[in-house]
Amino acid sequence: MTRSRWVAAGVAGGVLVVVAGVIAWRFRPVRTQHAGPPAIVWSPLPRRVIIEVLNNGAMRGSTTIAVPLLRNAGLDVVNSGNAPPPRDGDRNRVLVRRGDTTGAGRVIAVLGDVEIVDQPDTNRLVDLSVLLGSRFRAPPGRP
């Protein structure tokens, strides 16, 4: 065999290896990590709903669990933290600040057991105040 044939055979072999690698990469099995239950796809609300989430119970870190859940539900969470004393809340409560309950149904769908209270407050720049009570628990699939 001549030298040019050896070079051609080497180049052909190299091309074959590259093509086989590309085909193997293209049709590789896709591995995904299980991230818990599938996310709910929420329909858009008729208007922007601004809320604050306040920890009104004894469970530390409840707002860090609830805020992403409520944001995923299409609510605009602009503030989170601890409720002012006295913190006596057992149940989750939604305080309606501007007289419009738009978004309260989403809070109920996300948190479950919620008491709706009409408590206007013109000093607050939110539509709803969500107070997480001591009975707040993360939904299944959450830490």
Side-chain angles (χ1 to χ4, degrees):
M1 210 164 159
T2 65
R3 180 177 175 167
S4 61
R5 287 190 180 194
W6 279 106
V7 170
V11 169
V15 169
L16 185 62
V17 167
V18 169
V19 169
V22 168
I23 291 171
W25 179 81
R26 173 66 178 93
F27 294 105
R28 74 191 183 284
V30 178
R31 295 181 183 158
T32 58
Q33 292 181 335
H34 182 65
I40 297 171
V41 179
W42 299 94
S43 61
L45 290 167
R47 66 174 187 82
R48 180 179 177 208
V49 179
I50 302 169
I51 68 170
E52 66 180 343
V53 181
L54 302 173
N55 186 354
N56 195 36
M59 184 175 142
R60 293 182 65 180
S62 60
T63 56
T64 59
I65 296 168
V67 166
L69 296 173
L70 293 167
R71 282 185 176 151
N72 184 47
L75 300 168
D76 189 5
V77 181
V78 295
N79 182 32
S80 66
N82 289 322
R87 290 192 209 133
D88 56 357
D90 217 28
R91 288 180 71 189
N92 299 323
R93 286 188 289 165
V94 174
L95 306 180
V96 180
R97 299 300 192 177
R98 295 185 183 167
D100 187 358
T101 59
T102 301
R106 293 281 173 98
V107 176
I108 293 169
V110 171
L111 300 181
D113 181 31
V114 175
E115 176 185 4
I116 308 291
V117 179
D118 188 29
Q119 191 172 4
D121 187 348
T122 57
N123 293 328
R124 299 235 184 236
L125 301 176
V126 296
D127 298 310
L128 305 172
S129 295
V130 178
L131 302 176
L132 302 173
S134 59
R135 292 192 297 186
F136 170 76
R137 296 292 174 257
R142 299 286 182 187

